[in-house]
Amino acid sequence: MMEVNREDYEALKDDLFDGRLHSSTSKKQFFKDGLLIPSMILVLLLWGTIVLLKVVPILTAQEIRDHGRLGSHRNFYNQNGGKALNSRHTKDGSLKISFENVRNNTFKPKLQSLQWLRVLDFETNDRGLFMTVSNDTYMVKSVHDKEYCQILYQGKDITIHGTAYKIDSLVASPDLKRLLIRTNSVANWRHSYFGTYYIYEIEDSEFYKISDNIAVAQWSPNSIDISFVQDNDLYIYSTETHSISKKITKDGSENIFNGKPDWVYEEEVLESDTALWWSPNGKFIAFFKTLEDKVKEIVIPYYVQNEINHTNGNDLYPEMRSIKYPKAGTSNPEVDVWVYSLEEDRSYPVNINKEHRSNPLLITELFWVNENTFVTKVSDRSSDVLTVLTVDAITQDVNTARNDPAEESWWEITHDTKVVPKNPSKGRDTDGYIDIIPVDGYNHLVYYKSYQDSEPIILTTGNWEVTSDAISFDQENDRLYFIATKKSSVERHLYYIHLSKPGKVHAVTDTDMDGVFSVSFSPGNRFVLLTYRGPDIPYQKIIDLRSKQKDHHTRGNIIGETLYYLEKNDELRHNLLRYSVPEKSFDELYLGMDDNGQDIIVNSFEILPNDFNPELRNHYPVFFFAYGGPNSQQVIKTFSVGFNEVIASQLNAIVVCVDGRGTGFKGKKFRSIVRDNLGDYEARDQISAASIYGGKSYVNAEKISLFGWSYGGYLTLKTLEKDAGEHFKYGISVAPVTDWSLYDSIYTERYMHTPQENIDGYDNSNVANVKNIGKCKRLLIMHGSGDDNVHVQNTMIVLDKFNSNNVANYDMMIFPDSSHAIKYHNANRIVYDKMLDWTRQAFNGDFETYN
């Protein structure tokens, strides 16, 4: 999630009288008789003295310092406990959660990553080698042998001809003899960079420059060759001659990409900066060739990249940056797969799009199943039908293995396919692969024994789902490891099955305890970095899954031997002792029945403010947080202390998150209902949840708000539009889509088809009835002007609708040159400060006069 932070001032309001004196009549009666006044004064003096004596001994040194620094006007005393009630302390004296202690990482768990090394003998001798950095020293270590250490490089910089360059990226060759180093990095899009690359020969301690302005660089499995992309052309650099040995393509241009994705493929398809794949033996490269000549451009002005020079007139005009960006229904990039043979020094196209030039297919995944054959997944542009093709790199034969319709749903783009190599001794006579497909309405593991098979062996079933977080196959033990929601849709546990025994699922992590786990396997799948992410304080440890030893005390895993902890987060656990973190609980909400008479049950969590008192009446505001995009999930039992907890602590508010219909991990039917009609069911479910909370006796139904960012910003506007001020009185919408024809084609058409096919759906899904939004008390809308993902055009169009319909109950902030994350020039701090301050004003009733 986005970072939050800032110490804020919001003194808690508490009653000075207990319940018996709340009645104005009783207070008048008490003061009516003048004879009672002297007695009353005496009693109050005695009572005050006693209270003071009780209070003074329990003040801590920190509280005294806080009192002096903040000023006495920030401290109020409660009749019951004597403790300060303000934005810093709870009634028992514990510190509250604030932006100050969130932004200084007081509650941020330390989590490490391992760069596992896929060395040459990893399949037969998995030593669990990984690269790590300590005291600016890059070294290879082994999780199996703590004494093993191979130094690769010492220093955070490299020095070339007397000039030092910071190391931005370092990747070792598979034989650990050379390093590929990137410096002078310049960010491009979400995943991509340009930089200068060098080769470092470890034995000779020599540097060799490859070139500047390289977009992608990747080791061959042979540890000699490096493929790289420069100016959208694909090259091979040889470390034997330390020179460019081949220029594979010559047509790279602003409209033709080789080996590198364009904007939409990087963002929505590959989720990577790389569109090339070496064969296992290093004899072939499969790569994407992308033609963008038909893709229209979005031009984004950047206003504050440079200071204006008033003397010579430089930088008086905005810097205009153009991106090829296919909006819904417009021309997509035309992508095809090409194959290059190093031995024959020739390349050829697979011609996947030969018959689809006017309406290119999406090529969503590519993986090699053996030394000469790869599999690629393609779909139509609306992801209705998935086609799996096999390609022989030697014969150039292309065959269709299967065609699978989505059946009233869509195919999500995934990268979780796992190759299962042939092994006759294990009964595997052909190379195959593991995939995830819907089985009886839930995503499950299936096994295609041959990559040419059209019908799979079903490995798992049930009303739960296998996620795409990690799939790993241990060939030695015939174990297939995977993460799944078998226990609960808001948890993630590690399981395994024997490939030869489908259906029998074994838990690796302790399912008797709530948990969200993620994993990273060593290349030989013997060792695993197990990361526990919540709901308690996260920790990490290394496990030997093949060890016959068992842990003496179960913590996380019930299978495998814990070798050591990589991170325990003891410092975080100690820090939390000083704070009162608002209580967070998970539940399932019943939202009534759908149009077919079926129960609507959704996942939710709520965070209660400090010192929550359910006996209060019409008291607590409610702050709803939503994302709600198709197949997404926000309600999951991970550890976090951030913006939501700040809202609960500082504003004395209940925070609620509801994953309504359309979100993931509750089955195909639950998520697919939103197809072709985004914004309808999602908004209905937020309104139903608000109605439930508005009916609670301790909730102030006039102070219910909704906040969302990106798809959540869109959902905020659609919910306010549908609700028309009945339940949600306030809303915060950040970087919202407001018209789905403005968003990128690959994401949008997966859920909406094209506008040409579904014009009514687009009309209904857009933010249109702004007069209904005008019926809420107040709206805050914010956007970054440099957003290359959700263009600020979306916000400008809805603002124009506000103006045209005389809707004026909104506040607006634009963040110059900020991208979708809104971080440029301190913007991330400001955007969260604004949301907190604005919400405080809303809950204080400061906007009541606007309506």
Side-chain angles (χ1 to χ4, degrees):
M1 285 298 295
M2 307 99 174
E3 255 181 54
V4 291
N5 159 35
R6 172 197 165 193
E7 177 192 45
D8 211 277
Y9 164 61
E10 168 66 10
L12 287 174
K13 298 176 177 65
D14 205 37
D15 294 316
L16 298 178
F17 297 92
D18 64 26
R20 290 170 296 175
L21 296 183
H22 275 199
S23 164
S24 60
T25 303
S26 60
K27 283 187 282 187
K28 288 179 182 179
Q29 184 64 38
F30 183 79
F31 288 103
K32 185 176 181 179
D33 191 345
L35 296 176
L36 291 176
I37 293 178
S39 300
M40 180 193 71
I41 294 175
L42 179 62
V43 170
L44 287 175
L45 287 172
L46 291 172
W47 175 80
T49 302
I50 294 171
V51 169
L52 181 62
L53 290 173
K54 286 184 177 181
V55 169
V56 171
I58 60 175
L59 288 175
T60 66
Q62 180 64 46
E63 287 170 324
I64 294 171
R65 287 194 296 270
D66 288 345
H67 180 82
R69 181 168 63 87
L70 298 174
S72 60
H73 67 285
R74 294 279 301 274
N75 291 275
F76 303 89
Y77 289 89
N78 174 269
Q79 188 176 14
N80 296 318
K83 282 292 183 180
L85 295 181
N86 54 39
S87 63
R88 293 183 59 85
H89 295 87
T90 58
K91 288 181 179 179
D92 65 1
S94 300
L95 289 169
K96 283 187 175 185
I97 307 303
S98 70
F99 272 153
E100 179 185 42
N101 46 53
V102 169
R103 281 182 174 139
N104 63 17
N105 295 326
T106 299
F107 312 114
K108 184 177 181 180
K110 295 179 181 178
L111 295 178
Q112 302 183 39
S113 61
L114 285 186
Q115 184 180 332
W116 295 107
L117 294 177
R118 199 177 183 88
V119 294
L120 298 177
D121 61 345
F122 73 88
E123 291 182 343
T124 57
N125 182 25
D126 187 358
R127 293 170 288 163
L129 297 183
F130 63 96
M131 190 171 74
T132 186
V133 184
S134 178
N135 297 323
D136 297 328
T137 298
Y138 293 82
M139 64 189 81
V140 176
K141 305 205 74 173
S142 167
V143 299
H144 183 57
D145 181 2
K146 290 186 178 180
E147 302 302 318
Y148 179 85
C149 180
Q150 177 183 349
I151 303 297
L152 299 177
Y153 184 79
Q154 290 182 299
K156 61 183 178 181
D157 303 313
I158 63 173
T159 301
I160 309 295
H161 302 307
T163 303
Y165 299 93
K166 178 178 175 292
I167 297 174
D168 298 323
S169 171
L170 185 151
V171 180
S173 60
D175 62 5
L176 301 181
K177 294 181 179 180
R178 302 174 181 88
L179 304 177
L180 178 62
I181 297 173
R182 187 184 75 217
T183 67
N184 295 331
S185 300
V186 177
N188 184 31
W189 299 321
R190 187 190 295 262
H191 305 284
S192 54
Y193 292 85
F194 294 100
T196 301
Y197 280 82
Y198 293 88
I199 296 297
Y200 178 68
E201 294 283 354
I202 297 174
E203 184 177 347
D204 300 333
S205 300
E206 292 289 340
F207 289 99
Y208 298 88
K209 182 177 179 179
I210 300 178
S211 192
D212 300 313
N213 198 39
I214 289 177
V216 176
Q218 193 177 92
W219 280 110
S220 163
N222 66 18
S223 297
I224 297 172
D225 297 317
I226 294 170
S227 57
F228 72 91
V229 177
Q230 185 182 52
D231 296 328
N232 288 335
D233 271 323
L234 181 58
Y235 299 80
I236 292 181
Y237 178 93
S238 172
T239 60
E240 290 182 330
T241 62
H242 287 294
S243 64
I244 295 174
S245 59
K246 300 292 179 184
K247 184 176 182 180
I248 297 174
T249 66
K250 298 179 181 180
D251 56 355
S253 68
E254 63 178 8
N255 285 322
I256 299 179
F257 292 67
N258 291 290
K260 175 186 181 300
D262 71 333
W263 185 92
V264 76
Y265 260 72
E266 177 178 322
E267 177 72 22
E268 301 292 4
V269 180
L270 299 177
E271 298 176 285
S272 164
D273 65 347
T274 305
L276 63 89
W277 299 266
W278 283 94
S279 64
N281 55 12
K283 294 182 178 180
F284 300 97
I285 301 175
F287 64 94
F288 281 1
K289 184 183 291 288
T290 303
L291 279 65
E292 286 205 309
D293 55 313
K294 297 179 182 178
V295 179
K296 295 183 179 181
E297 298 180 353
I298 180 76
V299 178
I300 302 176
Y302 287 81
Y303 301 97
V304 292
Q305 297 298 297
N306 301 293
E307 290 188 10
I308 295 175
N309 189 321
H310 296 90
T311 303
N312 58 24
N314 289 340
D315 303 312
L316 295 179
Y317 297 90
E319 177 185 343
M320 310 303 287
R321 299 180 190 174
S322 177
I323 298 175
K324 293 278 191 175
Y325 186 104
K327 293 180 182 281
T330 68
S331 295
N332 271 349
E334 182 182 315
V335 182
D336 208 341
V337 178
W338 282 61
V339 178
Y340 175 75
S341 170
L342 277 74
E343 291 182 345
E344 299 180 12
D345 188 22
R346 69 183 183 91
S347 59
Y348 66 87
V350 176
N351 285 328
I352 289 174
N353 268 306
K354 184 177 181 180
E355 299 177 0
H356 302 273
R357 301 297 182 187
S358 62
N359 194 13
L361 297 171
L362 304 179
I363 306 177
T364 60
E365 188 175 12
L366 188 152
F367 56 94
W368 289 87
V369 290
N370 56 42
E371 293 181 349
N372 304 318
T373 309
F374 64 85
V375 171
T376 185
K377 292 181 178 180
V378 303
S379 73
D380 61 297
R381 64 183 292 160
S382 294
S383 302
D384 287 324
V385 179
L386 178 69
T387 301
V388 177
L389 304 174
T390 65
V391 181
D392 189 310
I394 297 177
T395 66
Q396 303 183 28
D397 289 339
V398 181
N399 294 293
T400 300
R402 63 187 223 250
N403 276 295
D404 293 340
E407 297 177 350
E408 299 182 353
S409 184
W410 61 80
W411 286 103
E412 285 286 343
I413 294 174
T414 59
H415 310 286
D416 48 36
T417 311
K418 178 62 61 177
V419 174
V420 177
K422 64 181 178 181
N423 187 337
S425 66
K426 299 284 187 179
R428 301 193 301 271
D429 297 325
T430 55
D431 296 308
Y433 62 93
I434 305 295
D435 207 348
I436 297 177
I437 65 172
V439 177
D440 297 330
Y442 293 85
N443 287 340
H444 281 286
L445 293 171
V446 295
Y447 173 35
Y448 292 90
K449 292 191 68 174
S450 168
Y451 56 82
Q452 296 177 332
D453 285 351
S454 60
E455 293 297 326
I457 297 171
I458 296 174
L459 300 178
T460 61
T461 60
N463 295 344
W464 48 275
E465 299 204 305
V466 175
T467 75
S468 59
D469 297 314
I471 302 173
S472 183
F473 179 57
D474 182 349
Q475 298 183 50
E476 181 174 317
N477 289 336
D478 193 42
R479 285 183 177 181
L480 181 65
Y481 294 97
F482 58 95
I483 299 286
T485 64
K486 191 172 188 296
K487 179 191 173 187
S488 166
S489 59
V490 297
E491 296 187 42
R492 300 287 188 275
H493 284 275
L494 179 63
Y495 302 87
Y496 79 85
I497 60 169
H498 288 288
L499 196 61
S500 57
K501 299 177 183 178
K504 188 171 178 57
V505 177
H506 305 267
V508 177
T509 50
D510 185 4
T511 56
D512 288 337
M513 302 293 291
D514 290 356
V516 174
F517 292 90
S518 63
V519 291
S520 173
F521 287 91
S522 63
N525 301 299
R526 172 179 175 179
F527 305 100
V528 62
L529 168 60
L530 182 71
T531 300
Y532 169 80
R533 296 185 177 273
D536 200 358
I537 295 174
Y539 60 82
Q540 294 177 296
K541 57 182 181 174
I542 303 294
I543 298 170
D544 184 350
L545 291 169
R546 295 180 190 167
S547 174
K548 295 181 181 179
Q549 301 293 325
K550 290 189 176 182
D551 294 347
H552 294 296
H553 302 287
T554 298
R555 190 187 185 197
N557 59 299
I558 58 176
I559 291 177
E561 178 190 6
T562 298
L563 301 181
Y564 58 88
Y565 282 84
L566 198 64
E567 186 60 65
K568 289 186 176 181
N569 279 302
D570 289 335
E571 182 180 355
L572 172 58
R573 189 177 298 277
H574 175 74
N575 287 341
L576 285 172
L577 295 176
R578 302 171 55 224
Y579 293 88
S580 178
V581 179
E583 179 184 351
K584 185 176 186 178
S585 60
F586 293 81
D587 203 354
E588 289 186 320
L589 283 184
Y590 171 67
L591 302 183
M593 291 186 176
D594 63 17
D595 297 337
N596 298 316
Q598 300 294 314
D599 290 342
I600 304 171
I601 300 176
V602 301
N603 292 330
S604 71
F605 70 68
E606 72 172 8
I607 302 173
L608 296 178
N610 306 114
D611 304 319
F612 174 73
N613 182 0
E615 300 302 319
L616 296 176
R617 294 293 179 265
N618 193 35
H619 183 76
Y620 291 101
V622 183
F623 183 90
F624 275 80
F625 160 67
Y627 182 76
N631 207 39
S632 67
Q633 185 176 43
Q634 298 299 316
V635 182
I636 184 170
K637 293 185 177 181
T638 51
F639 173 88
S640 65
V641 180
F643 179 62
N644 288 329
E645 285 72 18
V646 172
I647 290 288
S649 289
Q650 297 299 310
L651 302 187
N652 201 29
I654 301 170
V655 176
V656 178
C657 181
V658 173
D659 275 346
R661 285 171 289 179
T663 57
F665 309 103
K666 287 177 72 69
K668 178 179 174 180
K669 181 180 178 181
F670 187 87
R671 61 177 167 266
S672 299
I673 192 172
V674 301
R675 188 83 193 275
D676 291 332
N677 193 26
L678 293 181
D680 181 20
Y681 292 100
E682 306 99 299
R684 290 195 212 178
D685 291 348
Q686 297 299 319
I687 293 169
S688 296
S691 177
I692 291 172
Y693 273 86
K696 295 179 182 292
S697 60
Y698 48 79
V699 165
N700 185 337
E702 292 300 309
K703 296 181 180 180
I704 298 180
S705 69
L706 177 61
F707 153 64
W709 194 308
S710 192
Y711 195 99
Y714 162 72
L715 180 52
T716 294
L717 294 176
K718 286 299 292 184
T719 302
L720 294 179
E721 177 186 5
K722 190 176 290 289
D723 186 54
E726 183 176 355
H727 300 94
F728 286 104
K729 308 302 180 181
Y730 304 97
I732 300 176
S733 175
V734 183
V737 174
T738 64
D739 184 327
W740 283 107
S741 63
L742 302 177
Y743 196 56
D744 81 64
S745 57
I746 293 180
Y747 180 93
T748 303
E749 293 168 12
R750 186 186 314 145
Y751 309 118
M752 290 288 292
H753 288 92
T754 66
Q756 294 85 347
E757 297 170 296
N758 183 26
I759 185 62
D760 289 341
Y762 276 79
D763 287 343
N764 293 334
S765 294
N766 295 338
V767 179
N769 190 349
V770 296
K771 288 187 176 180
N772 273 1
I773 297 177
K775 294 178 182 178
C776 74
K777 293 183 178 180
R778 200 74 180 168
L779 168 69
L780 172 62
I781 186 167
M782 298 187 280
H783 215 128
S785 72
D787 194 332
D788 65 337
N789 188 341
V790 181
H791 306 142
V792 74
Q793 177 187 17
N794 285 270
T795 288
M796 294 305 177
I797 285 177
V798 83
L799 291 180
D800 182 64
K801 291 179 181 179
F802 287 162
N803 295 341
S804 298
N805 289 274
N806 200 33
V807 173
N809 64 325
Y810 67 90
D811 300 298
M812 177 68 199
M813 282 193 73
I814 292 291
F815 294 87
D817 293 6
S818 268
S819 67
H820 197 53
I822 308 186
K823 291 184 177 181
Y824 190 68
H825 281 180
N826 200 44
N828 199 251
R829 174 181 290 265
I830 299 302
V831 72
Y832 279 98
D833 286 350
K834 180 65 176 180
M835 286 193 289
L836 179 65
D837 293 339
W838 189 93
T839 303
R840 175 186 295 109
Q841 287 182 279
F843 290 165
N844 283 345
D846 295 350
F847 301 135
E848 299 287 343
T849 58
Y850 285 106
N851 293 318

